[in-house]
Amino acid sequence: MSDDLRDLIGAEVGDRAADWDLTETLPPEVLRGLGAKGALCAEVPAAYGGRGLTGRQNGELTAYTGALCSSLRSVMTSQGMAAWTIQRFGTRRQRAEELTRLTEGGLAAVAFSEPQAGSDLSAIGTTIVDDGDDVVLTGHKVWSTAAAYADVVVVFGRYRDDAAAVLVPTDAPGVTVRPVPRPLGCRAAGHADVLLDGVRLPAGRVLSGASQSLALLTTIALTYGRLSVAWGCVGIIRGCLRAAASHARTREQFGKPLAQHQLIARHLSELVVAEQTATRVCEHAADCWDGRSADLSHASVLAKHVAAGQAAHAASTAVQVLASAGSVDGEMVARAYRDAKLMQIIEGSDEICQLILAERALEGVA
């Protein structure tokens, strides 16, 4: 990864992650400062002011961030998804203008889910209607990570014969951003509902200016998101491993360090296995990304499913090792326990990932 970005993120987070979690807020100046230095969407090419990191490099940066603060990592994931969607579907002018804004400190989010369209994104009901030189958006998006901080939200909705993604400024008339109160995990990530009440925008805000396949639009954006979440889960596991090992080495019970008790040693070994397992599937998926492999979509689902499951188990194990010391709201492993559970839901729930993987298994015997 880029060492200067790692140092930058480490210096900005410091020991503030607990306070951010408890107050449910990331300082906007921190987010804009990191964004202006290319840390929030580091894969954006240098031509647009980005760092041009490879999938592997960006993944390790994401894991490093996730070990420090999953809320910040979640904002990084949203910014990256927005940038990737613009990069893939935007016109040359849209890429030049919008990606540059994001690498100069602008903040972005993406909006997929709706009250009746969560796992089943084919049920999206948000409409995008042509009206002269404008388009008009109407709909209700839920749980859009980072939307509470965003200048622009990439909204997915029904358009013409299929679907489109539209760049919606959060200060446009008819847009209401309503933060989700007291979320279970990643409390400072700016989760919010986005209400669109007849939002009128120039047609040039529609990415590529034409309808696209909804399945293609969502799959491409979600592939980036799944990879980013998976690497973030690697970070959660690494943070839990460090916390548990440190505690077990220094905490004594029955006259010897916890680490010398066999059952605690077993817990530590399970954390090592979790970290190695999650890292390897993420490295494979990142290599598929960098090689533009046809297996990328499947690899991203596998990485997200495996890493999220391992992170949830690792966080539970770390809380068990630290016991009361890890059970205080805001502390690292307590945050990880909540954050990891959320990772088993977002960007494709465990059940959706299992269905996709089962379909792949059936393809192999057809």
Side-chain angles (χ1 to χ4, degrees):
M1 78 177 78
S2 176
D3 288 340
D4 67 316
L5 289 181
R6 178 188 175 111
D7 293 344
L8 173 66
I9 290 170
E12 286 288 1
V13 176
D15 60 358
R16 305 165 72 187
D19 287 339
W20 293 343
D21 182 70
L22 292 172
T23 60
E24 302 180 26
T25 303
L26 289 166
E29 65 272 15
V30 169
L31 295 179
R32 295 192 184 281
L34 290 173
K37 294 180 180 178
L40 296 185
C41 48
E43 279 192 273
V44 170
Y48 304 115
R51 296 300 189 100
L53 298 192
T54 65
R56 276 259 197 151
Q57 291 170 333
N58 194 49
E60 283 292 347
L61 182 67
T62 304
Y64 175 75
T65 307
L68 300 175
C69 177
S70 284
S71 288
L72 178 58
R73 193 278 309 154
S74 294
V75 173
M76 180 184 292
T77 295
S78 291
Q79 185 94 341
M81 287 176 71
W84 177 241
T85 303
I86 294 167
Q87 192 174 325
R88 280 300 306 270
F89 293 105
T91 64
R92 180 176 299 179
R93 179 175 179 177
Q94 287 170 332
R95 292 196 300 271
E97 293 180 353
E98 302 301 329
L99 292 176
T100 300
R101 285 194 181 97
L102 297 186
T103 59
E104 290 180 345
L107 300 176
V110 293
F112 295 105
S113 297
E114 300 178 2
Q116 302 302 321
S119 295
D120 182 11
L121 290 178
S122 67
I124 283 177
T126 294
T127 59
I128 306 160
V129 179
D130 290 313
D131 187 5
D133 293 332
D134 297 333
V135 289
V136 179
L137 287 82
T138 302
H140 179 187
K141 297 296 185 179
V142 298
W143 273 87
S144 296
T145 299
Y149 306 119
D151 303 304
V152 64
V153 178
V154 182
V155 173
F156 292 78
R158 297 290 178 183
Y159 182 53
R160 296 178 182 169
D161 295 330
D162 212 318
V166 184
L167 302 170
V168 179
T170 53
D171 62 356
V175 177
T176 300
V177 178
R178 189 167 61 200
V180 174
R182 203 68 176 166
L184 171 69
C186 302
R187 288 178 175 170
H191 308 297
D193 292 357
V194 180
L195 284 69
L196 307 162
D197 183 11
V199 179
R200 180 177 293 274
L201 298 170
R205 302 298 290 176
V206 179
L207 290 180
S208 82
S211 63
Q212 306 280 339
S213 161
L214 177 62
L216 178 66
L217 278 170
T218 56
T219 296
I220 286 177
L222 284 172
T223 295
Y224 183 99
R226 286 167 176 158
L227 281 173
S228 185
V229 167
W231 277 109
C233 287
V234 170
I236 289 174
I237 299 168
R238 290 174 182 174
C240 288
L241 175 57
R242 284 198 296 268
S246 176
H247 184 79
R249 185 185 299 115
T250 57
R251 171 73 165 166
E252 290 193 1
Q253 291 289 281
F254 301 104
K256 59 182 179 181
L258 282 177
Q260 293 181 20
H261 292 272
Q262 288 184 343
L263 291 177
I264 300 301
R266 185 199 71 189
H267 287 320
L268 297 178
S269 74
E270 289 177 348
L271 288 167
V272 171
V273 171
E275 190 277 333
Q276 287 291 297
T277 301
T279 298
R280 298 299 164 254
V281 293
C282 285
E283 287 176 343
H284 169 67
D287 288 344
C288 288
W289 178 279
D290 289 332
R292 297 297 184 260
S293 169
D295 200 40
L296 172 59
S297 180
H298 171 260
S300 71
V301 172
L302 180 64
K304 191 270 174 183
H305 181 58
V306 170
Q310 293 290 351
H313 176 68
S316 179
T317 299
V319 171
Q320 193 70 25
V321 171
L322 272 73
S324 60
S327 302
V328 179
D329 201 18
E331 291 300 317
M332 188 273 153
V333 299
R335 293 201 315 273
Y337 188 79
R338 292 183 284 98
D339 294 344
K341 185 60 193 175
L342 193 59
M343 297 307 103
Q344 292 184 293
I345 299 171
I346 65 171
E347 315 304 355
S349 66
D350 274 359
E351 292 80 6
I352 290 297
C353 290
Q354 288 167 338
L355 287 173
I356 293 172
L357 295 174
E359 289 174 359
R360 177 59 176 263
L362 293 173
E363 290 172 3
V365 296

